[in-house]
Amino acid sequence: MNDRGVDAVRKAVCPGSFDPVTNGHIDIISRASNLFDEVVVAIGVNKAKASARLFTAEERIEMLEKACSDFPNVTVAGFDGLLTTFCEENGIGAIVKGLRAVSDFDYELQMAQMNSSLVDVETVFIPTSPEYSFLASSLVKEVATFGGDVSRLVPPFVLERLTSRLAERAAGGGR
Ligand code: PNS
């Protein structure tokens, strides 16, 4: 740990809701894992937002663990509260965010500046690969809800979970 409380090992966090994880997320996590010694994928498990989610925190964590199993330096964790507190508690000096388009930038810049005003943390932006520039979990859920083909946008095991969760919901049951 250096004199500012940051581990000398280059440790980064990829934060998000991941409801569910998409191929776009995996692209960013994979590229972050090439840049940093250790990457923690941190899933916001804010209980106040739980009812707005399609998948529970445990389900999202489980899917991400599977999606990241090929990356030896990537771990998955849930976090509640401020991302900057999670960074401080885990000796993390960098937040990695994917930027899909200029429209992402305004809000991401604001969050990056707020976060660095709170603790000593840098935000690193990685441009999304062009094939995923339109991809968002919310759109995947919407398209899948109406029967659209999202099989190229999420891993096969996520597609399976998504299809069965949406079927449960359509039948009036489920979460
Ligand atoms: O996938 P999302 O929904 O864009 O992820 C947003 C997330 C979880 C990264 C963001 O909402 C977040 O950092 N939440 C933790 C609460 C926090 O630190 N808020 C202050 C942000 S400046």
Side-chain angles (χ1 to χ4, degrees):
M1 197 167 281
N2 69 17
D3 59 358
R4 289 177 300 169
V6 174
D7 280 353
V9 58
R10 298 283 173 190
K11 199 169 171 184
V13 62
C14 288
S17 309
F18 304 102
D19 186 42
V21 59
T22 68
N23 291 340
H25 293 130
I26 297 167
D27 172 54
I28 296 295
I29 294 165
S30 153
R31 288 159 65 200
S33 78
N34 290 330
L35 290 174
F36 292 91
D37 298 323
E38 289 176 28
V39 173
V40 183
V41 179
I43 304 175
V45 298
N46 188 343
K47 290 185 181 63
K49 290 188 181 172
S51 60
R53 305 282 182 221
L54 187 59
F55 294 101
T56 65
E58 293 72 24
E59 288 169 333
R60 286 179 281 143
I61 289 171
E62 194 190 317
M63 284 188 276
L64 263 159
E65 281 175 342
K66 199 163 176 181
C68 296
S69 60
D70 285 343
F71 311 129
N73 60 342
V74 174
T75 54
V76 179
F79 80 100
D80 203 356
L82 286 177
L83 177 60
T84 47
T85 306
F86 181 83
C87 290
E88 277 190 316
E89 289 173 353
N90 292 278
I92 290 172
I95 298 169
V96 173
K97 291 289 193 85
L99 281 186
R100 286 168 297 200
V102 177
S103 51
D104 280 345
F105 185 71
D106 275 352
Y107 186 50
E108 290 297 345
L109 178 66
Q110 192 181 14
M111 282 201 285
Q113 290 171 332
M114 174 61 89
N115 284 331
S116 72
S117 80
L118 296 173
V119 302
D120 191 6
V121 68
E122 294 289 354
T123 296
V124 176
F125 294 121
I126 297 183
T128 297
S129 297
E131 66 264 39
Y132 302 126
S133 62
F134 61 91
L135 191 45
S137 297
S138 55
L139 278 183
V140 166
K141 287 182 281 191
E142 185 171 332
V143 171
T145 299
F146 295 108
D149 179 7
V150 294
S151 60
R152 281 170 295 113
L153 309 179
V154 294
F157 64 90
V158 172
L159 182 66
E160 218 168 276
R161 301 283 288 262
L162 184 59
T163 308
S164 66
R165 177 57 44 83
L166 291 173
E168 281 169 24
R169 289 234 168 152
R175 298 158 202 273

